[in-house]
Amino acid sequence: MTVLVTGGAGFIGSHLVDHLLTETDENITILDNFSTGSDSNLSHLETDRVDTVDGDIRDASLVADLIADADTVYHLAAAVGVKRIVENPLDSLRTNLEGTKNVLEAAAQDATPTFIASSSEVYGKSEAIPFAEDDDRVYGSTASPRWGYATAKAADEFLAVGFQKEHGLPVVVGRYFNIVGPRQTGQYGMVIPTFVKQALAGDDLTVYGDGTQIRSFTHVADAVSITHELLSTPAAHGEVFNIGAPGPTSINNLAKRVIELTDSDSAITHIPFEEAYDEDFEEPDAREPDISKLRATIGREPEADLDRILRDVIANRTDRVSIE
Ligand code: UDP
């Protein structure tokens, strides 16, 4: 049996590869263009069960060939990181729209079970906390590139569910909520690796805005085991799920906790959003998943709390040479 993991050299993808190696006896093919993925995410692997293909998900014939040889597909390759997306909107749109279309079209040929990674970004600036899968989406103007990413991910979801309805493709869509953990880099703007790096260096922690915004940080180990379990559960096929931890935290609290757990002398500075991103940037205030559908379908939910996440990130950070 062969599993294709697109984006397998990325942060979440490489953890999924680790999980599949431990929990199954399947061989794994990784498709990654190493734009945000990295060799260092895979360098710990000592196995002949993993093949890595350096290629782009926008290459339809390459995607079709790899999927023809696969029994299962996890499609995690995407343009990621709010900062990067805002800076390269066109590249992000093309990767996320064309790439997913290529994967779904190829998977539909043999009805190959496929997981499509989506994002809590699809809820936009909705204030209906916590977000349930069938809630309304609330987006801003097309002048703000952030909503281009949300729109592309939402279009991916429509495509996935369309392929299930019209072609019988066994597909699961997972909306990831702030997935964090060891190996995540701060290069693309993600807050936890950024804060941990700042705290360990004794630099000020840069909280954007007033820091009262709320996020639900989810350990990557929970995210990948739930991803695997959902695609292995026939009742989940054709459905969209929130994959996120209950128990949200404010960014101010996060900064405080990082300083405490690293035993750092760093201070906290607040930086206006316009300075951190650009003038058209809109920041959603609160992101929290309703996970009743996840619980009802697989009988479990993410387990790691914020302290466990931070301890794992800090231990990993102090253990290895920085790649940033
Ligand atoms: N953030 C911050 N300082 C940073 C990076 C991010 O205060 O150096 C904030 C960001 O504005 C957001 C939250 O932390 O409110 C989470 O940001 P991230 O980019 O990790 O994920 P997002 O929820 O924006 O997708």
Side-chain angles (χ1 to χ4, degrees):
M1 298 283 275
T2 300
V3 180
L4 176 68
V5 180
T6 74
F11 160 57
I12 303 177
S14 66
H15 281 277
L16 178 64
V17 169
D18 289 345
H19 178 84
L20 295 171
L21 285 171
T22 318
E23 299 297 320
T24 74
D25 53 10
E26 288 163 359
N27 292 322
I28 297 166
T29 302
I30 290 172
L31 172 62
D32 205 296
N33 69 356
F34 294 89
S35 56
T36 54
S38 141
D39 274 332
S40 65
N41 287 338
L42 304 172
S43 57
H44 61 286
L45 295 177
E46 289 172 4
T47 171
D48 55 7
R49 287 170 56 204
V50 178
D51 255 347
T52 304
V53 177
D54 184 348
D56 202 291
I57 49 165
R58 285 174 291 183
D59 181 344
S61 72
L62 173 64
V63 167
D65 286 348
L66 294 175
I67 291 182
D69 290 338
D71 303 287
T72 314
V73 179
Y74 293 90
H75 177 46
L76 272 61
V80 293
V82 172
K83 204 179 175 85
R84 187 164 173 273
I85 285 154
V86 169
E87 282 161 11
N88 308 284
L90 192 54
D91 187 54
S92 135
L93 284 172
R94 294 195 56 210
T95 301
N96 295 345
L97 290 168
E98 290 170 29
T100 303
K101 174 182 143 290
N102 289 341
V103 167
L104 290 166
E105 273 177 354
Q109 298 301 315
D110 294 322
T112 308
T114 300
F115 176 87
I116 299 290
S118 185
S119 163
S120 58
E121 280 283 322
V122 298
Y123 293 104
K125 51 185 174 181
S126 166
E127 291 176 356
I129 295 292
F131 301 144
E133 289 83 349
D134 56 359
D135 279 355
D136 288 348
R137 295 170 292 129
V138 183
Y139 293 174
S141 138
T142 54
S144 173
R146 175 169 203 144
W147 307 124
Y149 175 76
T151 301
K153 282 291 179 185
D156 288 349
E157 295 194 8
F158 281 118
L159 278 173
V161 174
F163 270 96
Q164 193 269 335
K165 285 215 165 74
E166 294 180 34
H167 296 278
L169 179 69
V171 69
V172 174
V173 174
R175 290 180 180 162
Y176 289 133
F177 279 68
N178 292 83
I179 310 300
V180 291
R183 286 185 217 146
Q184 186 177 36
T185 155
Q187 261 173 316
Y188 310 112
M190 276 75 169
V191 67
I192 288 188
T194 304
F195 281 2
V196 168
K197 188 179 179 196
Q198 289 167 333
L200 290 173
D203 296 337
D204 283 6
L205 273 62
T206 51
V207 171
Y208 299 161
D210 68 4
T212 56
Q213 66 269 36
I214 300 282
R215 292 293 183 274
S216 301
F217 294 102
T218 307
H219 199 301
V220 65
D222 282 329
V224 298
S225 73
I226 287 169
T227 295
H228 177 219
E229 192 161 346
L230 280 172
L231 193 55
S232 314
T233 303
H237 293 174
E239 298 289 330
V240 176
F241 293 89
N242 288 336
I243 302 181
T249 188
S250 73
I251 301 305
N252 280 332
N253 181 55
L254 172 69
K256 248 180 55 204
R257 213 50 207 129
V258 169
I259 288 173
E260 284 162 5
L261 291 175
T262 50
D263 210 8
S264 167
D265 294 331
S266 295
I268 297 175
T269 20
H270 288 84
I271 298 180
F273 285 119
E274 310 80 73
E275 224 175 276
Y277 299 105
D278 72 19
E279 284 189 14
D280 295 326
F281 194 77
E282 290 179 83
E283 176 71 3
D285 261 353
R287 289 260 162 91
E288 186 188 345
D290 177 331
I291 48 171
S292 22
K293 184 172 175 184
L294 184 69
R295 276 197 202 111
T297 308
I298 60 169
R300 52 181 284 238
E301 61 194 70
E303 284 165 11
D305 64 9
L306 184 65
D307 275 14
R308 155 86 199 286
I309 292 169
L310 291 179
R311 285 184 212 284
D312 281 1
V313 172
I314 293 162
N316 173 257
R317 189 90 221 174
T318 42
D319 271 2
R320 73 181 203 149
V321 182
S322 166
I323 55 163
E324 284 154 54

